[in-house]
Amino acid sequence: MKKSFIVLFLLCFGTVLCAQNHTLIDNVNVWDGTSDRLQKNVRVLIADNLILNLGENLTAPEGAVVIDGKGHTLIPGLSDVHVHLSATMSDKETRNEAHWMYTSIRTAKAAENFLMLGFTTVRDLGGPVFGIKRAVDEGLIPGPRIYPSGAYISQTSGHGDFRSANEPSVELSGGQMHPADVLGWSFVVDGVPEVLKAARENLRQGATQLKVMAGGGIASDFDPIHSVQFTAEELEAAVQAAADWDTYVAVHIYESKGAIRALNAGVKCLDHGHLLNEETIKLIKEKDAWLVPQAFWTETPASFWVPGQDKIPEALNKKIQPVLEGTDTVFKLARKYDINVAFGSDAYGDLGYESYALKEFTTRTKWYSPLDILKQATSENARLLSLSGKINPYMEGKLGVIAAGAYADLLIYEGNPLEDLEIIAHPKKNLKLIMKDGKIYKNELPKN
């Protein structure tokens, strides 16, 4: 009886194995996302969308697709944990001029652009991307895995309050929500009950984390950078709503006062933070929270901030300059105290601006080694994304690593990016293969 059971098990296992689609990547030097060096001359075996194994002497199952890596470097797919896929036009165009379907198509194109740069996973920190995420997950359009936040949660006059100067408050005037906000761009709310309602609405729509505006911003007209937004009680309400879904809150913030308030309220992720002081960095360490700063902003032309312009208007420049000047300090403090630092570019604007995300790699070398930065953009980002807990939409495999049981999100580069991040920065030349979820989106490896 026991022998018959074993035979039956082996037959069933063999049937399942044969039913899978296998790919064997041969002749590659592998960086697994966590190690300090490459594994030379390795084979990686993939079944459907997951990595089965890697090693030197793996054998391809019958019928497997075999890819010769030509001795190049294989690394995990990159991730960017601060993007806005739907923000491909000015706020004025998006809110008042563009049809929602046109905006959606541009969003889909932005998602594809990120994927073709090597980003197989992104965290979207504000905007209506739930439909795009579904389309990507169903294979209708190419794009990275998306962790959506849904609508920005902003106080009146906060960084997510995009009303024009003459546009009245919905609450004060008794009017209707702006059509763009109905589509899920921003919730302008005040007081604990309204914050809870906005948080819960985003979670209902499928948010994997919440994005709350906790301080002044550059792209908003009526809030100074130094402004502190939302009371402690309001922030605590958002944190509680997120925790009830087993997830977390990320906040937009530059200054220390608002950051400390957010951290004490239970916020787990501070995005930007260019003006944080040493006390705040120590508190991030104490709370085991995360910082997502941007480095490449210090090397961008005026046209990044004001498309089509070669000079930044004085009023806007007054907001930008302190942020740029604080960048070096915050990166030095982050490294000094060895806090959790994630890779997030906030590279958005016109289509094509996604490539600025690659400049984040090379600019961070002022403070971190190429290895450190690659870890931030792979396995470290995966740790941050895992804070979405039980509502994490991608739990079938591991993210950000090359290991048995990990998602088959893989990139092959000609050259060694662990030594030179310029290789990452020029994907048209150096990125030879893009695989996401076991599917190949680019293959420029020479055929045998």
Side-chain angles (χ1 to χ4, degrees):
M1 181 69 179
K2 183 177 180 182
K3 184 176 180 180
S4 299
F5 174 79
I6 292 173
V7 171
L8 180 62
F9 172 80
L10 290 174
L11 286 172
C12 292
F13 179 78
T15 301
V16 171
L17 193 64
C18 292
Q20 293 177 316
N21 296 312
H22 290 88
T23 302
L24 181 71
I25 301 178
D26 187 23
N27 188 22
V28 284
N29 300 322
V30 172
W31 179 65
D32 64 8
T34 61
S35 300
D36 292 342
R37 58 183 59 87
L38 297 175
Q39 288 180 262
K40 298 294 184 70
N41 194 23
V42 176
R43 289 181 158 191
V44 179
L45 181 60
I46 297 153
D48 293 332
N49 66 332
L50 299 176
I51 297 172
L52 273 184
N53 207 351
L54 64 156
E56 295 182 9
N57 301 307
L58 296 179
T59 301
E62 185 177 350
V65 174
V66 178
I67 297 173
D68 183 355
K70 303 296 180 181
H72 296 324
T73 304
L74 178 72
I75 73 170
L78 305 172
S79 55
D80 188 326
V81 294
H82 193 130
V83 305
H84 299 283
L85 294 176
S86 47
T88 66
M89 297 177 287
S90 70
D91 293 334
K92 178 176 179 291
E93 288 177 290
T94 300
R95 287 178 67 81
N96 302 315
E97 298 172 8
H99 190 276
W100 66 266
M101 188 171 286
Y102 176 69
T103 303
S104 299
I105 291 171
R106 290 178 67 93
T107 304
K109 184 60 180 175
E112 180 182 9
N113 288 349
F114 268 106
L115 177 63
M116 299 313 293
L117 295 174
F119 292 99
T120 54
T121 301
V122 298
R123 184 181 65 159
D124 190 285
L125 280 188
V129 296
F130 295 120
I132 298 298
K133 170 186 163 45
R134 178 178 176 181
V136 169
D137 289 346
E138 291 180 0
L140 298 178
I141 58 172
R145 304 175 191 279
I146 300 172
Y147 284 76
S149 301
Y152 305 107
I153 300 177
S154 169
Q155 69 170 45
T156 297
S157 78
H159 184 51
D161 186 345
F162 297 123
R163 289 175 296 149
S164 66
N166 293 326
E167 190 177 336
S169 163
V170 171
E171 292 297 327
L172 295 177
S173 68
Q176 295 182 333
M177 287 179 67
H178 190 283
D181 295 332
V182 173
L183 291 174
W185 277 97
S186 185
F187 293 142
V188 178
V189 293
D190 298 286
V192 167
E194 289 189 4
V195 169
L196 287 173
K197 187 172 289 187
R200 290 166 178 168
E201 180 63 22
N202 276 332
L203 292 166
R204 174 182 177 271
Q205 293 290 335
T208 52
Q209 64 285 317
L210 299 177
K211 171 67 175 300
V212 176
M213 304 305 198
I218 292 172
S220 42
D221 294 332
F222 304 109
D223 57 330
I225 288 288
H226 71 265
S227 62
V228 180
Q229 299 176 12
F230 283 123
T231 65
E233 292 76 15
E234 289 169 321
L235 290 169
E236 289 168 1
V239 168
Q240 185 62 59
D244 287 345
W245 251 244
D246 198 35
T247 188
Y248 68 100
V249 171
V251 296
H252 162 102
I253 192 71
Y254 290 106
E255 290 271 6
S256 287
K257 187 175 180 181
I260 291 171
R261 180 182 292 182
L263 289 166
N264 286 331
V267 166
K268 280 297 182 182
C269 186
L270 307 181
D271 280 74
H272 309 312
H274 295 72
L275 300 174
L276 300 184
N277 58 24
E278 194 162 8
E279 175 192 2
T280 313
I281 296 295
K282 288 180 179 179
L283 187 60
I284 292 173
K285 182 72 173 181
E286 177 187 326
K287 300 284 188 180
D288 195 27
W290 288 80
L291 180 67
V292 189
Q294 288 69 48
F296 82 94
W297 288 356
T298 60
E299 298 184 5
T300 52
S303 59
F304 174 77
W305 303 100
V306 188
Q309 302 295 318
D310 57 8
K311 186 177 181 180
I312 302 172
E314 184 58 30
L316 180 59
N317 199 47
K318 285 182 179 179
K319 281 191 167 189
I320 294 172
Q321 283 308 310
V323 170
L324 300 185
E325 291 166 6
T327 303
D328 182 61
T329 299
V330 78
F331 270 99
K332 284 178 177 176
L333 287 171
R335 177 155 188 168
K336 176 181 177 180
Y337 289 99
D338 191 29
I339 64 171
N340 298 318
V341 174
F343 184 97
S345 68
D346 200 14
Y348 70 93
D350 199 359
L351 287 171
Y353 275 35
E354 302 86 10
S355 61
Y356 276 111
L358 299 176
K359 196 169 183 61
E360 184 70 18
F361 284 95
T362 54
T363 313
R364 285 196 183 198
T365 57
K366 296 175 184 176
W367 306 280
Y368 292 100
S369 71
L371 178 64
D372 290 333
I373 298 164
L374 285 170
K375 286 181 179 179
Q376 290 167 1
T378 54
S379 56
E380 287 298 289
N381 273 1
R383 289 204 304 122
L384 172 57
L385 294 169
S386 72
L387 296 182
S388 290
K390 294 175 184 176
I391 62 171
N392 185 339
Y394 306 113
M395 298 179 69
E396 183 183 359
K398 304 171 190 173
L399 286 173
V401 294
I402 298 176
Y407 282 114
D409 297 350
L410 307 172
L411 309 174
I412 294 180
Y413 288 94
E414 184 174 356
N416 184 359
L418 275 69
E419 297 175 351
D420 183 7
L421 284 179
E422 287 291 341
I423 290 168
I424 298 281
H426 300 284
K428 287 186 178 179
K429 176 183 177 183
N430 302 312
L431 182 52
K432 300 302 179 182
L433 182 137
I434 300 172
M435 175 183 285
K436 181 213 145 191
D437 213 33
K439 181 179 177 180
I440 294 173
Y441 289 87
K442 177 182 180 180
N443 186 357
E444 293 184 353
L445 293 165
K447 299 283 196 304
N448 289 330

